[in-house]
Amino acid sequence: MTTKRKKSVGANKAVKVALLGFGTVGGSVARVLAASRFPDVQLTHIFNRNVDRKRSSEAAKAVSASVVWTDNIDVILRSDVDVVVELMGGLNPVEGWLRKALVAGKSVVTANKQLIAYRGTGLAKIAAQHNLHLLHGAAVAGGVPVIPGMLQGLCGDQVTRLSGIVNGTCNYILSRMEAGADYATVLEDAQQLGYAESDPSADVDGYDARAKLCILSRIAMHAELDPDAVAIQTISAIEAIDFSYAKELNCTIRQVSRAELDGKLMHARVAPMLVPLASPMAWSHGTQNMVVVSGRFGGDVVFSGHGAGGEPTAVAVVSDLLAVAQDCRTVQLPVRRREVTGDFLAPHYLRFVVDDKPGIVSAISGALSKVGANIDSLLQRRGYPKHRLPFVVTTEPCLSSTIERALASVARMDCMLEKPLCLQMLEVEDKAE
Ligand SMILES: NC(=O)c1ccc[n+]([C@@H]2O[C@H](COP(=O)([O-])OP(=O)(O)OC[C@H]3O[C@@H](n4cnc5c(N)ncnc54)[C@H](OP(=O)(O)O)[C@@H]3O)[C@@H](O)[C@H]2O)c1
């Protein structure tokens, strides 16, 4: 395949930019570009469906009169723009359009985590074949420069594990629940504030964070994961009582995305977990994001800040655009496909809701000991009716799959009123087996 020359500021000319998608982030990118007037970058085209609606929006006031607005993607693909900035989201039709843009000699900047998690490797190959850029610094943690930081600043280390809070919606919900609000109320507030979609599943069930975890694993540990193979667990089963018990254990609850390389195997999981109050992740509130990357030589590095929102995300997009305009190269190291397991060796928090009868605790203890898991503590708060009694058992470190085996039989007991809730408990030196 022919290698095309990249246009860069070296040619003393601003790169021409098309925005695909003029929503929250697209509008903010236009505003940031207008406010800063970077000489290397010139916005020339905006594409969106029903584009007249967008052209008359408030956000359009920041856009120069010379910009071409279109709802025909071919206008962009046939134009002389140098960089296509994709801010629409989703896999289709975006993937096909970006492939065509790369083949037409246009570099790509995107904030689309699903696209990069599922199709990033293929798109990167096309970009490399055409000597073009494919940058996606805004795809994880919005305005927090975790991707460029890892690409440039940590590639000299051997990163062995990472963990973090990469979904601002879940963090908003869980940190408000920690302060006493209930799940349904907070979810409604999050939807009204624009933090959560009307269908919140992508956030609360872990799909969004899983895509981000796969991207981070690829960059930090050069590991290609099948996103669908990464275990996810919803936060929607967490109740106020869990925060009370977590507090008794000197912990709180956060949606944690974690990955740990173990030879050829990757341990990876996205789930609500008990986080020690002393851990930086417990201090992350609201829509903040935080990623802790652990390297063999450099130890722990923490990235934190605003993980979402139009303007923080636009900063990441515009930073990528400037990198393309100045033809900045990122370090490329070989990436290997890794098998994934959701198993981690960790203490576990098990919450049961039962119609109280004699012998329940010994039955649970028997089921756990049958699989080789030991109980560490038993917590039972006063004030709950015996016919609907919530109590908690914590275990000594054991594999999640071991606990799940025991819980499968416990869940069948007549006295169990709900499916038992099982959460990993993070420790300071938590290791995958
Ligand atoms: N918002 C954030 O805080 C944030 C943070 C990090 C990354 N991101 C990522 O950034 C991207 C954009 O997010 P956003 O929040 O800006 O979304 P958004 O507000 O929904 O904007 C998306 C825009 O793209 C347009 N669009 C979608 N599909 C289209 C299609 N098939 N043809 C033409 N136009 C189409 C939409 O038009 P309509 O108005 O007609 O729907 C809308 O204007 C996503 O990949 C998202 O995951 C967002």
Side-chain angles (χ1 to χ4, degrees):
M1 211 171 280
T2 333
T3 300
K4 297 182 182 171
R5 276 176 59 81
K6 269 177 285 199
K7 191 180 287 183
S8 76
V9 82
N12 251 349
K13 209 171 153 195
V15 292
K16 293 183 181 169
V17 175
L19 293 186
L20 307 192
F22 198 70
T24 306
V25 182
S28 296
V29 167
R31 214 164 29 253
V32 171
L33 286 176
S36 301
R37 298 191 191 284
F38 297 106
D40 297 346
V41 173
Q42 186 194 356
L43 179 61
T44 60
H45 290 71
I46 295 176
F47 163 86
N48 206 101
R49 59 191 166 203
N50 308 322
V51 78
D52 289 341
R53 199 173 29 113
K54 298 289 173 177
R55 199 195 325 230
S56 56
S57 68
E58 188 61 28
K61 289 186 179 150
V63 176
S64 151
S66 62
V67 166
V68 175
W69 294 78
T70 181
D71 50 14
N72 180 353
I73 192 65
D74 291 329
V75 170
I76 305 292
L77 296 174
R78 291 199 203 111
S79 71
D80 62 349
V81 302
D82 305 298
V83 192
V84 165
V85 178
E86 185 275 307
L87 301 168
M88 297 181 351
L91 294 182
N92 291 310
V94 168
E95 183 194 4
W97 290 349
L98 294 188
R99 281 176 177 266
K100 285 184 183 165
L102 288 165
V103 170
K106 302 174 193 321
S107 285
V108 169
V109 169
T110 177
N112 186 333
K113 66 226 100 173
Q114 296 294 348
L115 179 82
I116 295 301
Y118 283 90
R119 308 281 192 262
T121 305
L123 288 168
K125 262 188 204 146
I126 304 175
Q129 281 162 359
H130 290 77
N131 196 24
L132 294 163
H133 295 273
L134 169 68
L135 294 185
H136 52 81
V140 179
V144 187
V146 56
I147 290 180
M150 290 194 316
L151 274 173
Q152 295 303 129
L154 294 179
C155 57
D157 206 341
Q158 283 176 22
V159 174
T160 50
R161 62 192 161 119
L162 61 89
S163 56
I165 293 169
V166 292
N167 183 282
T169 307
C170 288
N171 209 48
Y172 172 81
I173 293 172
L174 293 174
S175 56
R176 284 227 15 227
M177 286 179 76
E178 180 187 346
D182 72 280
Y183 178 81
T185 310
V186 186
L187 176 59
E188 218 178 292
D189 288 353
Q191 283 164 330
Q192 270 168 17
L193 288 163
Y195 298 155
E197 303 286 330
S198 52
D199 174 3
S201 170
D203 291 319
V204 302
D205 295 338
Y207 298 100
D208 172 271
R210 173 166 82 174
K212 292 169 177 171
L213 183 65
C214 292
I215 296 171
L216 292 178
S217 299
R218 188 187 299 151
I219 291 169
M221 295 184 265
H222 321 297
E224 178 80 29
L225 310 183
D226 171 5
D228 295 332
V230 175
I232 49 177
Q233 183 180 347
T234 183
I235 66 160
S236 62
I238 305 295
E239 294 180 12
I241 182 86
D242 298 309
F243 282 94
S244 307
Y245 281 127
K247 202 170 169 191
E248 280 185 41
L249 295 161
N250 286 323
C251 290
T252 187
I253 302 170
R254 294 286 183 264
Q255 187 204 49
V256 178
S257 302
R258 59 185 308 215
E260 182 159 340
L261 195 55
D262 175 16
K264 291 183 177 167
L265 190 64
M266 182 70 86
H267 299 255
R269 181 178 278 261
V270 174
M273 297 185 193
L274 263 74
V275 172
L277 290 172
S279 136
M281 275 194 273
W283 313 335
S284 167
H285 287 96
T287 56
Q288 270 201 322
N289 278 197
M290 172 169 292
V291 177
V292 185
V293 184
S294 307
R296 179 177 166 193
F297 303 105
D300 286 358
V301 176
V302 181
F303 296 86
S304 90
H306 292 291
E311 290 192 347
T313 308
V315 170
V317 171
V318 172
S319 301
D320 277 353
L321 259 178
L322 292 171
V324 175
Q326 302 206 354
D327 203 11
C328 298
R329 302 241 163 208
T330 51
V331 175
Q332 304 286 342
L333 294 171
V335 170
R336 290 211 175 85
R337 189 92 188 163
R338 300 287 185 194
E339 291 305 311
V340 187
T341 169
D343 250 351
F344 281 87
L345 185 67
H348 286 75
Y349 165 101
L350 312 176
R351 189 251 290 150
F352 304 97
V353 182
V354 296
D355 180 4
D356 195 20
K357 297 203 170 62
I360 291 178
V361 171
S362 74
I364 290 172
S365 152
L368 287 169
S369 73
K370 202 168 161 191
V371 295
N374 290 327
I375 290 181
D376 186 47
S377 68
L378 188 126
L379 292 84
Q380 187 180 323
R381 290 176 78 87
R382 287 164 190 238
Y384 290 91
K386 279 176 85 63
H387 66 273
R388 196 170 179 83
L389 186 71
F391 70 95
V392 161
V393 165
T394 66
T395 70
E396 290 178 359
C398 61
L399 289 175
S400 327
S401 57
T402 304
I403 294 286
E404 280 153 18
R405 264 201 333 273
L407 288 185
S409 66
V410 169
R412 288 195 291 271
M413 289 164 62
D414 286 344
C415 59
M416 283 294 148
L417 301 180
E418 290 178 12
K419 187 177 174 221
L421 177 73
C422 172
L423 306 178
Q424 278 184 25
M425 299 174 70
L426 289 188
E427 295 178 297
V428 179
E429 281 300 322
D430 218 349
K431 295 260 181 230
E433 196 176 60

